[in-house]
């Protein structure tokens, strides 16, 4: 089959590494079936979207907004980095490493 176009990003690369090391039968099945790249692109897309949604939700829940960014930029950056770390932890456990 023709390989899909697109760049495999951070989450797709993490998934690939996981499959190669911890789920060799599924990795082999995808490779032989010619669907590995599409799987990685799909995982990358879903994970990226979910991380962004989670970060947005955390920011709304904690009232971290542009007003805070304007007046307390370092606190805003710190909060957003924390939200990103929390979101990525969720994604790694629910999407990448399963």
């Amino acid at each position: 089959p023709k390989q899909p176009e697109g760049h495999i990003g951070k989450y797709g690369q993490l998934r690939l590494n996981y499959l190669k090391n911890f789920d060799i039968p599924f990795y082999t099945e995808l490779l032989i079936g010619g669907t590995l790249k599409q799987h990685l692109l799909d995982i990358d897309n879903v994970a990226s979207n979910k991380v962004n949604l989670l970060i947005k939700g955390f920011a709304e829940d904690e009232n971290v907004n542009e007003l805070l960014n304007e007046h307390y930029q370092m606190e805003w950056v710190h909060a957003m980095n924390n939200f990103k770390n929390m979101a990525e932890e969720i994604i790694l456990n629910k999407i990448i490493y399963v």
Side-chain angles (χ1 to χ4, degrees):
K2 185 177 184 290
Q3 289 298 307
E5 296 293 318
H7 171 72
I8 299 169
K10 173 183 178 178
Y11 303 112
Q13 293 292 336
L14 288 169
R15 177 69 173 165
L16 176 61
N17 189 50
Y18 172 79
L19 292 175
K20 282 183 174 179
N21 290 294
F22 299 104
D23 197 350
I24 295 167
F26 186 54
Y27 169 74
T28 305
E29 179 184 323
L30 292 171
L31 197 59
I32 290 171
T35 57
L36 178 62
K37 185 171 183 183
Q38 187 61 58
H39 174 76
L40 298 175
L41 289 169
D42 292 345
I43 290 287
D44 191 67
N45 186 41
V46 167
S48 295
N49 289 337
K50 189 69 174 167
V51 164
N52 291 331
L53 283 173
L54 286 167
I55 291 170
K56 185 178 180 197
F58 293 148
E60 287 173 4
D61 291 347
E62 298 293 326
N63 206 20
V64 174
N65 53 37
E66 290 306 313
L67 190 61
L68 183 69
N69 188 11
E70 289 174 27
H71 297 288
Y72 303 97
Q73 190 170 25
M74 290 308 293
E75 287 84 349
W76 181 85
V77 169
H78 180 70
M80 294 305 284
N81 283 338
N82 282 342
F83 299 153
K84 182 176 184 194
N85 290 338
M86 290 172 18
E88 286 190 334
E89 188 67 28
I90 291 167
I91 293 312
L92 292 176
N93 290 309
K94 301 267 186 203
I95 299 176
I96 307 298
Y97 302 146
V98 290

